[in-house]
């Protein structure tokens, strides 16, 4: 205990030094800190490796050093963390001496006992009542081979957040780690066990502690009052909400304990579920967690596990996921622990790395380089160095806040996602693809940000559930001249998932009124597409047509894209402030950075999964800004150097044809 007290005292001193270092940093905009500018590399941590870690960090440009000695996720150090705490303290000191930041990995609700088959003591042997269980009583205990990180002979357990004695020790370990002066506590996999084989439909956990907590909150017996998997059952929906709330509160308690001893230390959960149904099933919802966390690291691989496996449509799916995370974050940083290459023989790993980093920085997220599907190493250190050097040189432009100019809004409804995941996500994904491929400025809105929306066009992609507050906003929005695009059953259900006798959105807009299409088109306040073009765009044949590069008005993807553009531009008369003319294989985010209009461009044209990882250069890309003859256009090619371009000036607009767009670029007007 004396050793731990010394470490805590040293940590307070280091904390003061860290705070002083943050105040001296000149890169951050108001409200930003070091987490917004990280260029991450992962490292196994022990006292004898710190010099090697720092040497590698300095050589390759890592800023934000991930280290891993996992105190809580290994049973021996969960019981006695002294040796690992000393290593964390030394790592923090070394990072700070070099003007860097370091954070340390700990497991969330998982714990491994090494060689448990040969020892009389293990987590489960000692504490079987702390472990999560299926409703049939089967404990969440696994052996070697269940996952790649579980070695033969090891015991892997998943723990109930309501195991009081475990949670008490866990939070003590969190405080001890934060007190070392480390800059971040990185919490991996705070999940309900529903992602190993045979557990996917378990909706765990039904251990005695969790069942008792649910009974205390709701009065319901989880063992017999629920119809598992049946969203029409009100009691099951309470179970869904309870599971999400539980893990959100668990992370909030970790953050409270971190900040109690080290206010400058960041709390960073790593979450693999993205924005879809898997978040509900596992119980870790990044939308909810972003409220209290300092940042979130997303182990996100939508559209293909590695960058080398993605076709163009997969890249758009990946991009829209990241844009959604950035909307959830509300100005906080988003770290991307995604994977570039894992032995795909037809792709050069350097190209896969460049494509992955491109997509992430153009979405405003932070790049984490790792080898294969682990957290550490690199597939190519010289390429890491090249990428990190370019990011560092342009970090203000990439990571200062991106603010809306004149966007078309699209609404993400967590309530609809929770209870109607399949329908909502199919529509949302498709609508985001159509927005991106139309090159329109967009703003993703949530219940937390809806009231801040200043645009005059808002898309509801099969948002079946609307609350009274949301309905009140839409009523005021329409009265103020705003225009809506509704698809599917938007507005048909209330917060309790009850089908309403009259859809209040339909009543508001007069959808049932006997007006001809011509009458509505004359002064459209809305467009109603019950068939939902977003869902249609997700059809396999449509996506295959897009990936194959099928051209012409009859191509399935082109039909939907043309109809969408007509709806937005002609019928709803949306007029963007900044326009982009490029192929639908270019993704763009349009936003204001430091008061200047910017475009963040990523080119996925010509890419082919596992075969082609160098995009075809895009010719003739044209951008039009509002501006004058004094305005100048800047062009920063990805991994290149800035160019100043001359444009054509007329009628308060500046039109510029860009140089060939290779992988991507940032373009802005001054």
């Amino acid at each position: 205990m004396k050793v731990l007290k010394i470490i805590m005292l040293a940590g307070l001193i280091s904390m003061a030094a860290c705070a002083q270092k943050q105040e001296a940093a000149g890169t951050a905009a108001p409200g930003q800190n070091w987490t917004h500018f990280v260029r991450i590399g992962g490292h196994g941590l022990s006292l004898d490796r710190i010099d090697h870690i720092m040497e590698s960090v300095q050589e390759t440009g890592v800023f934000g050093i991930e280290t891993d000695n996992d105190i809580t996720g290994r049973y021996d150090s969960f019981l006695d963390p002294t040796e690992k705490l000393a290593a964390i303290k030394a790592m923090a000191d070394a990072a700070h001496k070099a003007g860097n930041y370091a954070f340390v990995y700990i497991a969330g609700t998982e714990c491994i006992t090494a060689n448990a088959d040969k020892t009389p003591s293990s987590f489960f042997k000692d504490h079987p009542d702390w472990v999560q269980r299926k409703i049939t009583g089967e404990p969440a205990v696994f052996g070697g081979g269940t996952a790649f990180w579980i070695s033969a002979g090891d015991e892997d357990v998943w723990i109930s957040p309501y195991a009081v004695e475990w949670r008490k020790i866990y939070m003590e370990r969190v405080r001890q780690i934060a007190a070392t002066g480390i800059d971040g506590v990185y919490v991996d996999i705070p999940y309900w066990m529903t992602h190993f084989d045979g557990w996917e439909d378990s909706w765990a956990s039904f251990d005695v502690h969790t069942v008792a907590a649910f009974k205390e909150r709701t009065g319901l017996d989880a063992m017999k009052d629920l119809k598992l998997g049946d969203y029409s059952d009100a009691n099951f929906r309470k179970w869904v909400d309870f599971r999400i709330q539980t893990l959100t509160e668990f992370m909030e308690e970790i953050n409270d304990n971190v900040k109690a001893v080290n206010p400058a230390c960041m709390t960073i959960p790593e979450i693999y579920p993205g924005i879809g149904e898997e978040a509900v099933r596992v119980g870790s919802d990044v939308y909810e967690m972003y409220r209290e966390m300092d940042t979130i690291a997303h182990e996100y691989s939508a559209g293909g596990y590695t960058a080398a496996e993605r076709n163009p449509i997969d890249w758009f799916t990946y991009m829209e996921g990241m844009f959604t995370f950035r909307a959830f974050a509300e100005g906080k940083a988003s770290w991307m622990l995604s994977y570039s290459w894992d032995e795909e023989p037809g792709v050069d790993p350097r190209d896969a790395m460049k494509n992955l980093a491109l997509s992430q920085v153009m979405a405003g997220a932070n790049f984490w380089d790792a080898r294969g599907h682990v957290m550490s190493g690199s597939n190519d250190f010289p390429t890491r160095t090249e990428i990190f050097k370019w990011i560092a040189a342009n970090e203000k432009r990439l990571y200062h806040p991106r603010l809306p100019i004149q966007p078309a809004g699209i609404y993400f409804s967590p309530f609809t996602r929770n209870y109607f995941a399949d329908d909502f996500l199919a529509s949302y994904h498709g609508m985001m693809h159509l927005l991106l491929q139309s090159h329109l400025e967009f703003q993703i809105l949530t219940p937390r940000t809806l009231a801040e929306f200043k645009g005059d066009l808002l898309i509801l992609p099969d948002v079946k559930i609307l609350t009274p507050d949301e309905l009140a906003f839409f009523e005021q929005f329409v009265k103020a001249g705003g225009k809506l695009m509704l698809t599917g059953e938007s507005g048909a259900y209330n917060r309790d998932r009850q089908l309403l006798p009259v859809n209040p959105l339909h009543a508001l807009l007069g959808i049932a009124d006997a007006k001809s299409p011509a009458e509505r088109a004359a002064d459209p306040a809305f467009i109603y597409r019950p068939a939902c073009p977003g869902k249609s765009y997700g059809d396999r044949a449509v996506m295959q047509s897009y990936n194959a590069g099928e051209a012409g008005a009859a191509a399935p993807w082109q039909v939907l894209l043309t109809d969408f553009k007509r709806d937005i531009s002609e019928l709803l008369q949306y007029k963007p402030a900044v326009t982009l003319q490029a192929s639908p294989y270019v993704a763009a985010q349009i936003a204001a950075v430091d008061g200047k209009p910017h475009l963040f461009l990523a080119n996925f044209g010509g890419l082919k999964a596992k075969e082609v990882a160098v995009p075809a250069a895009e010719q003739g890309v044209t951008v039009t800004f509002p501006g004058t003859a004094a305005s100048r256009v800047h062009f920063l090619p990805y991994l290149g150097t800035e160019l100043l371009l001359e444009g054509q000036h007329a009628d308060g607009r500046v039109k510029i044809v860009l140089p060939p767009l290779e992988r991507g670029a940032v373009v802005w007007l001054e």
Side-chain angles (χ1 to χ4, degrees), residues 43-46 66-81 84-85 87-88 103-112 149 156 170 173 177 185-189 375:
H43 311 81
L45 175 60
S46 58
E66 190 274 340
T67 58
D68 182 354
N69 64 5
D70 196 6
I71 284 176
T72 61
R74 301 287 168 167
Y75 192 43
D76 57 347
S77 55
F78 177 77
L79 297 175
D80 182 6
K84 289 185 177 181
L85 286 169
I88 296 170
F103 57 97
V104 66
Y105 173 107
I106 64 172
T109 52
E110 181 185 26
C111 191
I112 293 175
W149 62 87
D156 178 73
Y170 187 99
R173 299 291 175 258
I177 292 167
V185 177
Y186 180 97
V187 186
D188 188 13
I189 48 178
M375 298 174 66

Side-chain angles (χ1 to χ4, degrees), residues 268-288:
I268 310 148
E270 180 202 310
I271 308 295
Y272 96 78
I275 60 176
E277 187 272 345
E278 68 278 7
V280 181
R281 188 176 298 268
V282 167
S284 286
D285 180 7
V286 294
Y287 172 72
E288 295 293 340

Side-chain angles (χ1 to χ4, degrees), residues 310-581:
R310 294 191 182 121
N311 284 309
I313 199 71
D314 303 321
W315 280 110
F316 276 86
T317 300
Y318 183 69
M319 291 289 286
E320 59 102 344
M322 290 190 288
F323 286 131
T324 306
F325 295 149
R326 299 300 300 126
F328 291 173
E330 298 180 71
K332 296 178 181 178
S334 299
W335 299 357
M336 299 306 302
L337 177 58
S338 300
Y339 307 106
S340 59
W341 185 84
D342 193 14
E343 306 298 333
E344 290 88 357
V347 171
D348 187 322
R350 296 170 296 183
D351 290 324
M353 290 172 65
K354 291 176 182 178
N355 290 344
L356 185 63
L358 165 78
S359 67
Q360 292 171 356
V361 299
M362 294 307 168
N366 295 83
F367 178 50
W368 182 327
D369 178 42
R371 188 176 71 86
H373 56 272
V374 297
M375 298 174 66
S376 60
S378 177
N379 290 314
D380 187 77
F381 282 102
T383 302
R384 169 195 280 189
T385 305
E386 178 187 6
I387 293 169
F388 280 175
K389 182 178 179 180
W390 186 83
I391 292 173
N394 300 286
E395 60 184 5
K396 293 181 182 180
R397 198 157 307 284
L398 296 172
Y399 294 124
H400 274 196
R402 301 182 186 182
L403 302 178
I405 303 171
Q406 193 169 317
I410 182 169
Y411 194 51
F412 186 97
S413 166
F415 298 138
T416 306
R417 187 277 312 272
N418 288 357
Y419 299 159
F420 292 100
D422 291 344
D423 284 343
F424 174 68
L425 265 297
S427 182
Y428 179 79
H429 283 309
M431 277 298 187
M432 278 299 300
H433 286 151
L434 290 167
L435 274 170
L436 286 168
Q437 290 166 14
S438 299
H439 307 127
L440 300 177
E441 183 190 349
F442 61 89
Q443 182 180 2
I444 298 169
L445 301 160
T446 72
R448 293 199 295 261
T449 61
L450 187 61
E452 302 169 9
F453 183 55
K454 303 302 182 185
D456 56 11
L457 170 62
L458 184 53
I459 300 170
L460 304 184
D462 204 6
V463 179
K464 296 180 189 292
I465 294 175
L466 292 175
T467 66
D469 287 344
E470 290 167 325
L471 287 166
F473 171 85
F474 294 130
E475 182 175 5
Q476 292 302 314
F477 179 75
V478 171
K479 286 182 179 178
K483 298 179 180 181
L484 294 175
M485 181 176 186
L486 292 77
T487 75
E489 294 185 292
S490 289
Y493 293 79
N494 65 14
R495 175 66 178 87
D496 294 324
R497 203 181 183 271
Q498 296 173 325
L499 182 65
L500 299 169
V502 176
N503 185 320
L505 273 183
H506 289 201
L508 170 66
L509 299 171
I511 286 177
D513 295 348
K515 292 182 180 178
S516 70
E519 289 175 318
R520 287 180 178 165
D523 185 22
F526 69 92
I527 286 179
Y528 175 43
R529 297 285 181 248
C532 199
K535 288 182 183 176
S536 298
Y537 201 85
D539 181 81
R540 180 178 296 274
V542 173
M543 292 189 291
Q544 288 176 341
S545 169
Y546 175 83
N547 282 332
E550 292 183 11
W557 67 273
Q558 188 66 66
V559 171
L560 289 165
L561 186 59
T562 299
D563 289 346
F564 176 78
K565 288 180 177 179
R566 185 182 63 249
D567 281 350
I568 298 297
S569 300
E570 297 180 19
L571 299 185
L572 292 176
Q573 300 174 358
Y574 168 67
K575 305 296 183 185
V578 178
T579 63
L580 170 68
Q581 292 176 315

